[in-house]
Amino acid sequence: MLGERICEMLKIEYPIFQGAMAWISPASLVAAVSEGGGLGIIGTGHAPADWLREQVREVKARTGKPFGVNVMLLSPHVEDIMKVIVEERVPLVTTGAGNPGKYVNLLKSVGCRIFPVVSSVALARRLERLGVDGLVAEGMESGGHVGDITTMTLVPQVVDAVKVPVVAGGGIADGRGLVAALALGASGVQIGTRFIVARECPAHPDYKQAIIKAGDRDTLITGNSTGHPVRVLKNRFARELQEMEKQGASRETIERFGEGKYPAAAIHGDLDNGSIMAGQSAGLVKEEQPAAEIIRDIMLDANRIVGQMSKWI
Ligand code: TUI
């Protein structure tokens, strides 16, 4: 069975993690993904711990299936967020934008599985030594905060470097991507951008339309000069930010310019002045669908492709 290792470990039906997205992956989306047989993951971003506690309780009320929480390690609330995760006995944690090494023992002590997101082999090796349960190897095709290696090259190198299961993220949106990731040695996939257009995702309707309309060359990376590169859809905000970087604006100026710009686009639908985070797979996303239907389509496609492949040899 496709992705058996990760499905057995996590007691999920399909090897699909929903990529956590700040502001737009609350309980509604997470419960729908988990009910659909994947693994829904609450995106915390910079949200306070009280908000997370409410979301966790809402997910538990809506589904008895496993789910996760993503901790964005640049958040000022990380310590309090970890406390809620421990108190609420969240089944699985992913982390982003940093090294979660100092939290590994705490999470393991309460039986919480930990799958840090990594964008390099070095961090993958270091975290395996600390005892993580698995890793998400995320290539630079992803939306939001990105590393600098492609999924195609990162995933097999991480797979070769560690024994724990590896979930591939970045540029994956359909059954073809899932099969490709498994061929690279991954045990499953993380999909973010396609779930922006899930019916249960509270992203602004104009944000969803922008994803659907996007083509292959419609994203760019902002923030290279600040050390926090972020992939977004091209728009006025992204071009202005790039121009400021070209002119050598200070890190503080750039960070101030970017403040609040993600919810402006994602929640309020300001597609000119907001930061429209999206992965390169936006070009593969065609329509709004219920989350369970997205998962079903991906699995049907993947199984069909695997069936065809076995006939080649
Ligand atoms: O974290 C993400 N994606 C994100 S976080 C985010 S919120 C944000 N907004 C503005 C600026 C920065 C963040 C939006 N999208 N993906 C996981 C990910 N983690 N990609 C790359 C990394 C990463 C980078 C460096 C993980 C570890 C790391 O380690 C550095 C170290 O300390 O060794």
Side-chain angles (χ1 to χ4, degrees):
M1 193 193 89
L2 290 179
E4 200 166 17
R5 185 177 182 200
I6 210 118
C7 290
E8 277 184 5
M9 178 196 247
L10 303 178
K11 310 275 181 274
I12 55 179
E13 285 160 77
Y14 308 118
I16 298 175
F17 285 21
Q18 161 251 312
M21 299 168 288
W23 294 93
I24 58 164
S25 32
S28 58
L29 177 61
V30 171
V33 170
S34 289
E35 271 295 293
L39 187 80
I41 302 180
I42 300 171
T44 56
H46 287 88
D50 287 348
W51 176 87
L52 176 61
R53 197 185 299 277
E54 275 170 34
Q55 298 303 312
V56 167
R57 291 188 176 168
E58 196 178 326
V59 173
K60 287 176 182 167
R62 288 180 185 224
T63 180
K65 302 211 171 157
F67 65 96
V69 169
N70 174 269
V71 183
M72 212 284 282
L73 293 166
L74 296 169
S75 162
H77 306 295
V78 171
E79 299 294 330
D80 292 339
I81 291 277
M82 288 292 181
K83 262 190 216 141
V84 170
I85 287 167
V86 166
E87 286 167 11
E88 294 291 330
R89 296 292 189 268
V90 169
L92 180 138
V93 161
T94 63
T95 59
N99 180 347
K102 67 175 175 174
Y103 303 106
V104 172
N105 284 339
L106 171 72
L107 293 170
K108 285 174 73 76
S109 73
V110 292
C112 175
R113 306 274 192 185
I114 175 162
F115 275 63
V117 177
V118 298
S119 51
S120 72
V121 170
L123 187 56
R125 282 210 173 97
R126 228 177 296 148
L127 289 167
E128 182 181 52
R129 279 200 294 273
L130 294 179
V132 300
D133 299 282
L135 292 158
V136 180
E138 200 182 271
M140 65 179 294
E141 296 93 323
S142 307
H145 186 68
V146 288
D148 52 10
I149 310 174
T150 61
T151 303
M152 186 80 154
T153 53
L154 177 68
V155 171
Q157 292 183 80
V158 171
V159 166
D160 286 349
V162 301
K163 293 196 177 70
V164 292
V166 175
V167 172
I172 301 166
D174 56 24
R176 295 171 292 185
L178 170 55
V179 175
L182 297 179
L184 295 174
S187 299
V189 291
Q190 171 192 266
I191 294 178
T193 301
R194 186 158 179 196
F195 283 114
I196 296 173
V197 303
R199 189 152 303 146
E200 300 87 351
C201 174
H204 191 281
D206 294 350
Y207 183 17
K208 295 188 179 190
Q209 281 310 310
I211 300 287
I212 289 167
K213 281 196 210 119
D216 57 344
R217 303 190 65 234
D218 287 342
T219 71
L220 55 76
I221 295 176
T222 59
N224 269 318
S225 68
T226 65
H228 296 309
V230 173
R231 184 180 296 283
V232 297
L233 286 188
K234 290 177 183 169
N235 68 348
R236 188 202 298 167
F237 162 82
R239 288 201 185 86
E240 279 177 15
L241 193 55
Q242 267 201 333
E243 192 51 40
M244 284 166 70
E245 292 193 76
K246 237 187 259 163
Q247 306 289 332
S250 71
R251 185 183 165 144
E252 293 73 43
T253 309
I254 290 168
E255 279 176 356
R256 215 172 312 123
F257 184 68
E259 256 165 41
K261 294 292 165 68
Y262 182 56
I267 302 296
H268 305 296
D270 186 348
L271 296 192
D272 290 329
N273 304 304
S275 165
I276 317 171
M277 290 191 201
Q280 289 185 314
S281 70
L284 291 165
V285 176
K286 302 293 179 219
E287 57 174 337
E288 188 176 41
Q289 290 171 292
E293 199 175 294
I294 292 175
I295 293 168
R296 197 198 56 198
D297 281 2
I298 292 170
M299 292 310 300
L300 281 172
D301 230 26
N303 279 310
R304 184 182 50 75
I305 294 165
V306 170
Q308 285 172 347
M309 286 168 99
S310 65
K311 287 186 201 115
W312 292 350
I313 39 180

